[in-house]
Amino acid sequence: MRRTDTDTPRSEPDVRRAELAAFLRSRRERISPEQVGLVRGRRRRTPGLRREEVAQLAAVGVTWYTWLEQARDIQVSPQVLDAIARALKMDRVERTHLFALAGTPDPAPNGPCPTVTPAYQQLLRQLEPIPACIQNSRYDILAYNRSYARLLCDLDALPREDRNCMLLAFTNDEWRASIDDLPKTSRAMAAKFRASMAGHLAEPAWKALLKRLESESAEFRELWERHEVVEHTSHTKLLRNAEVGLLHVEHVNLWLSPGNGATTGPRLVSYPPVDAETRVRLERLHALAEASDEASGEASAAA
């Protein structure tokens, strides 16, 4: 019996592209023109949106988007996928599925991280005025309290995709100015990141972060080439906050997923004061943060 094309097993990339194409078509067909501000017209036969309409809404080429729905082997950037997800009004679950099928890290994931439960959010608030946050092993800052929001820089002013301690330590001037011994801290962070990445070498989100660090920081590139590794430990450190001055704190890691190992997975990072003077300054920092929040809320209500 002659073998047909349908008998040939497809590779994983082929399967992914086919699934991605089918998913995009299904999402496109369920969106009405009226939902995105377009006029339906009398002769429309296409269920949902046309391909050219999606391309227009996402600001991409019609031919390129057509090839994407035809499962062709083309390159697609996270930024373009983000535009398509927004054009097709995908919810959080659909967006996550889209990026998973594309094998591409999401540059702006929507919604709260499933690691951060309401109980953890409440714990962060109750730790005030001690600055505290929850990070994953890739150093993404998943949640934080008011004191931490103003500890090293204005975190609230940053896009979510930039709230990553590695990026901030090597590319954010305000964050870097707050570190008392920057060269020592930078070297330790690069070594910790290399140790953490050993179990995630093939994961797109980790590779994307590494690529961004290497492209944006010559200092990081130099440190990365040393191939140094160190483990996470609690230690004291000096921080220079622009609003309240020098802070002598203890850097404490509390691991939230013991089953993943002693020093892997998500963790709660806190900065309790080492001395009474630092305690007073942290209380002042918290008060400033609360006052700023109240002022912002009043301004929003007035608008």
Side-chain angles (χ1 to χ4, degrees):
M1 183 175 65
R2 189 177 65 180
R3 187 179 182 87
T4 65
D5 291 341
T6 56
D7 295 324
T8 304
R10 294 188 299 174
S11 66
E12 181 180 348
D14 290 337
V15 172
R16 281 182 173 273
R17 286 195 297 271
E19 287 290 329
L20 176 61
F23 182 63
L24 288 174
R25 286 194 298 271
S26 71
R27 298 305 88 187
R28 172 171 60 82
E29 291 173 356
R30 58 130 197 200
I31 300 291
S32 69
E34 293 82 1
Q35 285 179 275
V36 293
L38 298 176
V39 179
R40 175 176 293 274
R42 295 181 179 180
R43 299 184 178 180
R44 177 181 290 268
R45 295 181 179 178
T46 303
L49 297 176
R50 299 186 178 99
R51 285 172 174 170
E52 58 265 28
E53 291 171 335
V54 176
Q56 177 186 351
L57 291 168
V60 300
V62 176
T63 300
W64 185 91
Y65 180 77
T66 300
W67 286 351
L68 192 61
E69 279 203 9
Q70 292 174 344
R72 297 203 188 186
D73 187 5
I74 59 175
Q75 295 295 319
V76 55
S77 71
Q79 291 72 27
V80 169
L81 285 175
D82 174 70
I84 292 173
R86 295 176 189 275
L88 294 176
K89 295 187 175 298
M90 292 185 183
D91 61 24
R92 180 178 61 83
V93 176
E94 292 168 335
R95 181 189 177 97
T96 299
H97 186 63
L98 172 70
F99 279 85
L101 288 176
T104 303
D106 189 345
N110 293 328
C113 174
T115 299
V116 184
T117 65
Y120 286 149
Q121 295 278 10
Q122 180 66 14
L123 176 60
L124 289 173
R125 289 191 292 270
Q126 291 182 347
L127 283 172
E128 301 278 18
I130 294 173
C133 72
I134 292 176
Q135 298 177 21
N136 59 19
S137 54
R138 200 175 55 242
Y139 287 87
D140 295 320
I141 302 172
L142 308 178
Y144 51 90
N145 60 20
R146 292 293 83 211
S147 298
Y148 189 86
R150 301 169 73 99
L151 180 66
L152 298 166
C153 72
D154 185 359
L155 274 181
D156 292 337
L158 298 177
R160 174 173 291 197
E161 61 267 26
D162 289 348
R163 295 175 193 168
N164 174 280
C165 290
M166 290 299 302
L167 282 175
L168 293 168
F170 286 96
T171 67
N172 185 282
D173 291 338
E174 185 181 0
W175 184 286
R176 290 167 62 82
S178 300
I179 305 299
D180 183 65
D181 191 346
L182 184 61
K184 179 180 177 181
T185 299
S186 297
R187 182 174 180 178
M189 290 199 68
K192 290 176 185 177
F193 184 63
R194 181 175 282 282
S196 297
M197 191 170 179
H200 308 274
L201 293 174
E203 295 180 24
W206 285 77
K207 293 193 292 185
L209 176 57
L210 176 60
K211 183 177 180 180
R212 185 174 175 187
L213 285 164
E214 290 179 322
S215 66
E216 296 184 17
S217 173
E219 179 188 13
F220 176 83
R221 290 196 301 272
E222 190 275 327
L223 291 171
W224 192 248
E225 288 302 315
R226 298 185 184 187
H227 289 264
E228 295 176 335
V229 291
V230 297
E231 64 179 354
H232 290 272
T233 58
S234 296
H235 55 278
T236 61
K237 63 195 315 181
L238 292 175
L239 305 176
R240 299 185 181 277
N241 183 270
E243 296 179 294
V244 299
L246 188 66
L247 300 170
H248 191 194
V249 296
E250 182 86 8
H251 179 112
V252 179
N253 292 302
L254 175 63
W255 303 96
L256 304 180
S257 300
N260 293 335
T263 58
T264 60
R267 62 188 179 276
L268 187 148
V269 179
S270 62
Y271 293 92
V274 171
D275 52 52
E277 185 175 3
T278 296
R279 174 76 189 194
V280 171
R281 291 178 177 177
L282 287 178
E283 290 173 350
R284 191 187 314 157
L285 181 66
H286 180 232
L288 289 170
E290 287 191 322
S292 177
D293 284 352
E294 292 176 3
S296 297
E298 292 173 359
S300 298

